[in-house]
Amino acid sequence: MPRVPGRLSSVRNRLRGVVDPLRTPRRAVFVTGSARSGTTWIAELLRDAQRARLVFEPVHHNSSLPGSPHFREAGTADPELRRLLRRALAGALDDDWVNLVQPDGVFFRRVVKDIRPGVLPLVRDVAPEVPAVYLLRHPIEVAVSRAELDEREGDWWDTGGALAELQVHAAGDGGNLGRLASLALEACSAESSPMAPHVAIWCVENALALGLFPIANGVALRYEDVLVDADSALGSIESLCHVRLARGQSLARPSSTSFRGSGHIGQLGRWRAVVPDDDAERLLAMTSRFGLDHLYGLDPTVALPPLDGPLWR
C-alpha cells in the first residue's frame, strides 16, 4: 500500500476502520453481474491491483437502502436509489455491510461491486464516467449456485423480492421493463423446474444490462471466457481500467464469497451433473423469449460467440 500521509494515518488509527477520503466517483470502478457470476472474484483482483477499497453490494437487500431494487431502466425517477449509487461510487457509504469483505485501512481508489446488473442502466445515468465491468455466466450454472446457497443461507439473494418486483413492473404502465417482467412471469408459470425463477430473473436483469452494450467506458465479458482464456478476457479489463491484474495462483484463489472452495475454479458445466438434459433444454428455451438464447447452450465448453458487438438480438 502507498505511504499514508501522517494526518490520514492518525485519522485511520483514531477511527479504526475504513478511511476513503477522496469523495469522487472518478476514483471508482463498478463491477456487476448476476449473483454467482464471479463478480467478487474479479472485484478482488481489481481491488488488489489498485490497492483499493472494495465497496460490497450497496444495492443488496442487506444494505442500508430500504426495499430491494433489482431492475431499473435508464431515466427512472428513483431519487433514493440514485442517491445511494452516487454515495457508493463516491466512497461515502460506510457500514458493516458494504465493508463486509474489506479490511481496515486508508484507500484512495475503490471498486464498487454489486449483483444487481438490472440496475446498471441507472448506474450509467448517475455516473457515466465510471468504468463498468459487466460479467455474464451460464444461466443454469447461476441458477444451481443460487439454489445451493439459498439452501445454506436462506433466501440469500432475495429471490422472493425479485419476483415480487417483477409483478409490480408487469402490472405497471408498460415500457421495456414491464414487457420483460411479463415475459419472465409467463415463463415461470409455464415451467415446473425449481430453477425456473432463477433463470427468469437472470433473463430480465441481463436483458436490461446487455441492452446498453456496446458502451463507452464499459466492458462485457463471460465468466467462462476468463476461465478459458484469462489473458484475453482480463486484458479487456486492464485496458479499460489502466491496471495490470494478477495471473497465476491469484486466479486459483477462491473469492471471499465462494462457498465451494478452490476445487471448483476452472470447472465448466458442473450443473450438467444436477440438471437433467430435458430440464436444461426447457430452461434454456426460456432465454429465447428474451433474445438471449445465442449467448449459451447445453454444452458450456464449446466456442462461444464474441461479445464485441451488439449483444441484443
Side-chain angles (χ1 to χ4, degrees), residues 166-192:
L166 287 177
Q167 292 174 341
V168 171
H169 290 304
D173 296 330
N176 184 49
L177 179 51
R179 181 183 66 84
L180 293 172
S182 296
L183 286 175
L185 296 174
E186 290 169 6
C188 284
S189 65
E191 175 51 58
S192 60

Short mmCIF file of all heavy atoms in Angstrom, two decimals, residues 166-192:
data_model
loop_
_atom_site.label_atom_id
_atom_site.label_comp_id
_atom_site.label_asym_id
_atom_site.label_seq_id
_atom_site.Cartn_x
_atom_site.Cartn_y
_atom_site.Cartn_z
N LEU A 166 -40.92 -8.02 -10.07
CA LEU A 166 -41.35 -8.28 -11.45
C LEU A 166 -42.86 -8.15 -11.58
O LEU A 166 -43.37 -7.64 -12.59
CB LEU A 166 -40.90 -9.68 -11.87
CG LEU A 166 -39.41 -9.87 -12.14
CD1 LEU A 166 -39.11 -11.34 -12.47
CD2 LEU A 166 -38.92 -8.97 -13.27
N GLN A 167 -43.59 -8.60 -10.57
CA GLN A 167 -45.05 -8.47 -10.61
C GLN A 167 -45.47 -7.01 -10.64
O GLN A 167 -46.41 -6.64 -11.35
CB GLN A 167 -45.66 -9.20 -9.41
CG GLN A 167 -45.51 -10.71 -9.48
CD GLN A 167 -45.98 -11.41 -8.23
OE1 GLN A 167 -46.12 -10.80 -7.17
NE2 GLN A 167 -46.24 -12.71 -8.33
N VAL A 168 -44.76 -6.19 -9.87
CA VAL A 168 -45.07 -4.75 -9.86
C VAL A 168 -44.81 -4.14 -11.22
O VAL A 168 -45.64 -3.38 -11.76
CB VAL A 168 -44.23 -4.04 -8.77
CG1 VAL A 168 -44.38 -2.53 -8.90
CG2 VAL A 168 -44.66 -4.51 -7.39
N HIS A 169 -43.65 -4.46 -11.81
CA HIS A 169 -43.32 -3.89 -13.12
C HIS A 169 -44.28 -4.39 -14.20
O HIS A 169 -44.67 -3.63 -15.09
CB HIS A 169 -41.88 -4.24 -13.49
CG HIS A 169 -40.85 -3.53 -12.66
ND1 HIS A 169 -40.79 -2.16 -12.54
CD2 HIS A 169 -39.82 -4.03 -11.90
CE1 HIS A 169 -39.78 -1.83 -11.75
NE2 HIS A 169 -39.18 -2.94 -11.34
N ALA A 170 -44.66 -5.67 -14.13
CA ALA A 170 -45.57 -6.22 -15.14
C ALA A 170 -46.95 -5.56 -15.07
O ALA A 170 -47.63 -5.43 -16.10
CB ALA A 170 -45.71 -7.73 -14.94
N ALA A 171 -47.34 -5.14 -13.87
CA ALA A 171 -48.64 -4.50 -13.70
C ALA A 171 -48.59 -3.00 -13.89
O ALA A 171 -49.61 -2.32 -13.76
CB ALA A 171 -49.19 -4.82 -12.30
N GLY A 172 -47.41 -2.47 -14.19
CA GLY A 172 -47.24 -1.02 -14.32
C GLY A 172 -47.71 -0.48 -15.66
O GLY A 172 -48.59 -1.04 -16.32
N ASP A 173 -47.06 0.60 -16.07
CA ASP A 173 -47.50 1.33 -17.25
C ASP A 173 -46.91 0.81 -18.56
O ASP A 173 -47.02 1.45 -19.60
CB ASP A 173 -47.15 2.81 -17.10
CG ASP A 173 -47.89 3.45 -15.94
OD1 ASP A 173 -49.00 2.98 -15.67
OD2 ASP A 173 -47.36 4.39 -15.34
N GLY A 174 -46.26 -0.33 -18.52
CA GLY A 174 -45.67 -0.87 -19.74
C GLY A 174 -44.21 -0.49 -19.87
O GLY A 174 -43.49 -0.40 -18.90
N GLY A 175 -43.78 -0.23 -21.09
CA GLY A 175 -42.38 0.05 -21.34
C GLY A 175 -41.59 -1.25 -21.45
O GLY A 175 -42.12 -2.36 -21.28
N ASN A 176 -40.30 -1.12 -21.72
CA ASN A 176 -39.47 -2.31 -21.93
C ASN A 176 -39.38 -3.16 -20.68
O ASN A 176 -39.49 -4.40 -20.75
CB ASN A 176 -38.06 -1.88 -22.36
CG ASN A 176 -37.17 -3.06 -22.68
OD1 ASN A 176 -37.55 -3.95 -23.43
ND2 ASN A 176 -35.97 -3.09 -22.11
N LEU A 177 -39.21 -2.54 -19.51
CA LEU A 177 -39.11 -3.32 -18.28
C LEU A 177 -40.42 -4.04 -17.98
O LEU A 177 -40.41 -5.20 -17.56
CB LEU A 177 -38.71 -2.41 -17.12
CG LEU A 177 -38.58 -3.08 -15.74
CD1 LEU A 177 -37.69 -4.32 -15.81
CD2 LEU A 177 -38.03 -2.08 -14.73
N GLY A 178 -41.54 -3.39 -18.20
CA GLY A 178 -42.83 -4.06 -18.00
C GLY A 178 -42.98 -5.25 -18.92
O GLY A 178 -43.50 -6.31 -18.51
N ARG A 179 -42.53 -5.11 -20.17
CA ARG A 179 -42.61 -6.22 -21.13
C ARG A 179 -41.73 -7.38 -20.68
O ARG A 179 -42.15 -8.55 -20.70
CB ARG A 179 -42.16 -5.73 -22.51
CG ARG A 179 -42.21 -6.80 -23.59
CD ARG A 179 -41.68 -6.25 -24.91
NE ARG A 179 -40.26 -5.94 -24.83
CZ ARG A 179 -39.29 -6.85 -25.01
NH1 ARG A 179 -39.61 -8.11 -25.26
NH2 ARG A 179 -38.04 -6.49 -24.94
N LEU A 180 -40.50 -7.08 -20.25
CA LEU A 180 -39.58 -8.12 -19.80
C LEU A 180 -40.13 -8.83 -18.55
O LEU A 180 -40.03 -10.05 -18.42
CB LEU A 180 -38.21 -7.53 -19.48
CG LEU A 180 -37.41 -6.97 -20.67
CD1 LEU A 180 -36.17 -6.24 -20.18
CD2 LEU A 180 -37.02 -8.08 -21.63
N ALA A 181 -40.71 -8.05 -17.64
CA ALA A 181 -41.28 -8.64 -16.43
C ALA A 181 -42.43 -9.58 -16.77
O ALA A 181 -42.54 -10.67 -16.19
CB ALA A 181 -41.75 -7.53 -15.49
N SER A 182 -43.28 -9.18 -17.70
CA SER A 182 -44.39 -10.05 -18.10
C SER A 182 -43.89 -11.34 -18.73
O SER A 182 -44.41 -12.43 -18.44
CB SER A 182 -45.30 -9.30 -19.09
OG SER A 182 -45.91 -8.18 -18.48
N LEU A 183 -42.87 -11.24 -19.57
CA LEU A 183 -42.28 -12.44 -20.18
C LEU A 183 -41.73 -13.38 -19.11
O LEU A 183 -41.89 -14.60 -19.19
CB LEU A 183 -41.15 -12.04 -21.13
CG LEU A 183 -41.55 -11.41 -22.47
CD1 LEU A 183 -40.31 -10.97 -23.23
CD2 LEU A 183 -42.35 -12.39 -23.31
N ALA A 184 -41.08 -12.81 -18.10
CA ALA A 184 -40.49 -13.63 -17.04
C ALA A 184 -41.56 -14.36 -16.24
O ALA A 184 -41.42 -15.55 -15.94
CB ALA A 184 -39.64 -12.75 -16.12
N LEU A 185 -42.62 -13.67 -15.89
CA LEU A 185 -43.68 -14.30 -15.12
C LEU A 185 -44.40 -15.37 -15.93
O LEU A 185 -44.76 -16.43 -15.41
CB LEU A 185 -44.67 -13.23 -14.64
CG LEU A 185 -44.08 -12.20 -13.66
CD1 LEU A 185 -45.10 -11.10 -13.37
CD2 LEU A 185 -43.62 -12.86 -12.37
N GLU A 186 -44.60 -15.11 -17.22
CA GLU A 186 -45.21 -16.12 -18.09
C GLU A 186 -44.31 -17.35 -18.19
O GLU A 186 -44.79 -18.50 -18.14
CB GLU A 186 -45.45 -15.54 -19.48
CG GLU A 186 -46.54 -14.48 -19.53
CD GLU A 186 -46.55 -13.74 -20.87
OE1 GLU A 186 -45.77 -14.17 -21.77
OE2 GLU A 186 -47.30 -12.77 -21.02
N ALA A 187 -43.00 -17.13 -18.31
CA ALA A 187 -42.07 -18.25 -18.42
C ALA A 187 -42.06 -19.08 -17.14
O ALA A 187 -42.01 -20.31 -17.19
CB ALA A 187 -40.66 -17.72 -18.72
N CYS A 188 -42.11 -18.42 -16.00
CA CYS A 188 -42.13 -19.13 -14.72
C CYS A 188 -43.39 -19.97 -14.57
O CYS A 188 -43.35 -21.11 -14.09
CB CYS A 188 -42.02 -18.15 -13.56
SG CYS A 188 -40.37 -17.48 -13.31
N SER A 189 -44.51 -19.42 -14.97
CA SER A 189 -45.77 -20.14 -14.81
C SER A 189 -45.86 -21.36 -15.73
O SER A 189 -46.59 -22.31 -15.45
CB SER A 189 -46.96 -19.20 -15.08
OG SER A 189 -46.96 -18.78 -16.44
N ALA A 190 -45.09 -21.34 -16.82
CA ALA A 190 -45.14 -22.44 -17.78
C ALA A 190 -44.09 -23.51 -17.51
O ALA A 190 -44.07 -24.54 -18.20
CB ALA A 190 -44.94 -21.90 -19.20
N GLU A 191 -43.23 -23.30 -16.51
CA GLU A 191 -42.12 -24.22 -16.26
C GLU A 191 -42.13 -24.67 -14.80
O GLU A 191 -42.15 -23.83 -13.89
CB GLU A 191 -40.78 -23.53 -16.60
CG GLU A 191 -39.53 -24.33 -16.29
CD GLU A 191 -39.58 -25.73 -16.88
OE1 GLU A 191 -39.73 -25.87 -18.11
OE2 GLU A 191 -39.49 -26.68 -16.08
N SER A 192 -42.11 -25.97 -14.57
CA SER A 192 -42.22 -26.51 -13.22
C SER A 192 -40.88 -26.67 -12.50
O SER A 192 -40.85 -26.90 -11.30
CB SER A 192 -42.91 -27.87 -13.26
OG SER A 192 -42.17 -28.79 -14.06
#
